[in-house]
Structure formats: C-alpha cells, structure tokens
Amino acid sequence: MDREISRILVVGGGLLGTSFALAVHRACPSLVVECVEPNPEHRARLIQHAAIAHVYDDVRHIEGEYDLAVLAAPPDVCIAYLQDVARCASIVIDVCSVKQAICQAAEELRLRGQFVPSHPMAGKAIEGPRAADGDLFRDRPWIFLEDWAPPARVVALVERIGARVTIIPSAEAHDAMIACVSHGIHVTSLAAMLASDDKRRQAYPSLEQVSGPAFWDITRLASSPSAFWADTLLQNRENVVSYLQTLREQIAKFEEAMRSQDREHLVDLLNRSRLARETWESSRP
C-alpha cells in the first residue's frame, strides 16, 4: 500500500484534516503529507506538526503531483476546490457529511473514477487543528458509496489508520441515514441547550449548578462551530427537516401521555424506547 500511495495532499487543516494527517503519519511514517490551509492561525499550528511536510496557504499555490488528495473543508468549499485539486491528484476523496451535492458536482466535472466520496463518522465539538487527534478514526465507521466504489489502495489506507470501512448504496441513502444519526441529533442537542437556557434566564439563574451528566451529554454538540454546521444542515435540509418532524411526533406522544396522566401509555413509550436502544446496542459493531 505504501508503494501505491506515497504523497498525500490534505485540503483543510481543521479537526478532520489534521487528525487524518496525524493518523497517516503514525500508521505510515514513510508517506509524505502536505496540506492547504488559508487560515493563518491554523496554518501556524500545522507547521509545527512533524506529520505535515509543507503547508500551502491557497490551492492556487499547489505544486507537484499527489497520489491522493483529501478534501477536508466545509461542503461548499470542497465543491469549489474539487476541479483544481483534481488537476494535481490521481485520486480525490472528501470527508464531508453530506454527499449528494458533491457527487453531483463531480458528475458534472466528469470525475467519476477519480473522485471517491467518503465520510468518516468521527469528530469533536471543538474545531480547528488544536483539537486534532491521531486516534480520532480508530474503530469508527468510514463510509464509502457502493456506486462510487473506492480503489483498493484507498480502502487499505483507511483500514491502516484504524477505521472500519462501511459501504452504503448511494449518496441519497447516505444523506437520509446521516440525518437520522448525526445531523438531526445535532439540532436536537442545540434545541435542548436553548430550552434549558431559556429556563435559566427566566427563573433559575443557577441552573447549571444542579446540572448532571444527562444535561452535559445531550447538550455537548452545542459547542460546535456554527458556520460549518449552518452550511452542512442547509445542504441536507430536506432529510433533516423530515427527521425533526418525526422527532416532534415522538415528543408529542410523551407530552400527551403526561398531560393526560396516562401512566400506561407513558410506561409503554418508555419501554419501547428502552427496547429500541437495546436493539441498537446489540447490532452495534
């Protein structure tokens, strides 16, 4: 695998891009990893990493040829960079959490066979290279699409850094699934934070002092970078809105059971939720 991929370009030195560079350097120290990062503060941090041989400040300044380029920027930025990056790399993959828009752009640019859409299910609520972690992808799903099949050497690299390769049918299936287990959950976390904050400001100014693990767990994602998530949610808006409608329906059932003091219905909802969780846990890799 090392002989087939020797030079890698990471476009975007944020959490995912930098974590990928660190993971590759740890697993395959002979590979040369370079990066593109326009943010001066992030670029200064990247230069300090031994895992990254060189940092460009703009895609227009890229020199040489790469065996693999990894687009690790917000979805709209990845789409904007796709054509330029494809000129200097044999294979281009992305790590965006929305797939339909970038796949459509790749189709229009006639990049089938060169572009490989992918999505590692890994991250943190903290942005930027300061939060980078070479173990970020270990034992996490790394999604590829069946109708945009990845080359064996890309699969081998992803497995080498510890991720679990997962294949799903299409970009449409990906975006619908991710709305259920990531994007919709993200909005739920933010809404829970705002609901508690309203109570804090209105009547309970010391509410955070009595907050237990459940509160901090469910609101963790409220710390995430806003601009990035606004773009991501808007790109997958139809699927996310569909999930939120289903979520509202489920919340309404709990609300009605409590409003009507229907203990039997409430117990049924609680049991169904517990059993669903147990089923998911038993199917977890």
PDB file of all heavy atoms in Angstrom, residues 5 58 150 169 266:
ATOM      1  N   ILE A   5       0.575   4.614  -2.695  1.00  0.00           N
ATOM      2  CA  ILE A   5       0.294   5.981  -2.256  1.00  0.00           C
ATOM      3  C   ILE A   5       1.525   6.477  -1.512  1.00  0.00           C
ATOM      4  O   ILE A   5       1.860   5.964  -0.440  1.00  0.00           O
ATOM      5  CB  ILE A   5      -0.947   6.057  -1.340  1.00  0.00           C
ATOM      6  CG1 ILE A   5      -2.205   5.649  -2.103  1.00  0.00           C
ATOM      7  CG2 ILE A   5      -1.096   7.464  -0.767  1.00  0.00           C
ATOM      8  CD1 ILE A   5      -3.474   5.672  -1.264  1.00  0.00           C
ATOM      9  N   ASP A  58      -2.955  28.450  -0.143  1.00  0.00           N
ATOM     10  CA  ASP A  58      -4.016  28.579  -1.145  1.00  0.00           C
ATOM     11  C   ASP A  58      -3.889  27.420  -2.133  1.00  0.00           C
ATOM     12  O   ASP A  58      -2.766  27.010  -2.474  1.00  0.00           O
ATOM     13  CB  ASP A  58      -3.866  29.916  -1.887  1.00  0.00           C
ATOM     14  CG  ASP A  58      -5.112  30.287  -2.680  1.00  0.00           C
ATOM     15  OD1 ASP A  58      -5.437  29.568  -3.645  1.00  0.00           O
ATOM     16  OD2 ASP A  58      -5.747  31.303  -2.348  1.00  0.00           O
ATOM     17  N   PRO A 150     -14.634   2.766  -3.916  1.00  0.00           N
ATOM     18  CA  PRO A 150     -13.262   3.242  -3.651  1.00  0.00           C
ATOM     19  C   PRO A 150     -12.223   2.263  -4.178  1.00  0.00           C
ATOM     20  O   PRO A 150     -12.414   1.044  -4.138  1.00  0.00           O
ATOM     21  CB  PRO A 150     -13.217   3.303  -2.125  1.00  0.00           C
ATOM     22  CG  PRO A 150     -14.181   2.248  -1.682  1.00  0.00           C
ATOM     23  CD  PRO A 150     -15.289   2.256  -2.695  1.00  0.00           C
ATOM     24  N   PRO A 169     -25.353   2.155  -0.122  1.00  0.00           N
ATOM     25  CA  PRO A 169     -25.660   2.116  -1.558  1.00  0.00           C
ATOM     26  C   PRO A 169     -25.366   3.381  -2.356  1.00  0.00           C
ATOM     27  O   PRO A 169     -24.834   3.303  -3.457  1.00  0.00           O
ATOM     28  CB  PRO A 169     -27.161   1.793  -1.585  1.00  0.00           C
ATOM     29  CG  PRO A 169     -27.445   1.139  -0.285  1.00  0.00           C
ATOM     30  CD  PRO A 169     -26.522   1.788   0.694  1.00  0.00           C
ATOM     31  N   LEU A 266     -47.464   6.164  29.067  1.00  0.00           N
ATOM     32  CA  LEU A 266     -46.107   6.644  29.350  1.00  0.00           C
ATOM     33  C   LEU A 266     -45.143   5.474  29.544  1.00  0.00           C
ATOM     34  O   LEU A 266     -44.027   5.470  28.995  1.00  0.00           O
ATOM     35  CB  LEU A 266     -46.122   7.536  30.588  1.00  0.00           C
ATOM     36  CG  LEU A 266     -44.776   8.166  30.983  1.00  0.00           C
ATOM     37  CD1 LEU A 266     -44.216   9.017  29.853  1.00  0.00           C
ATOM     38  CD2 LEU A 266     -44.942   9.008  32.246  1.00  0.00           C
TER      39      LEU A 266
END
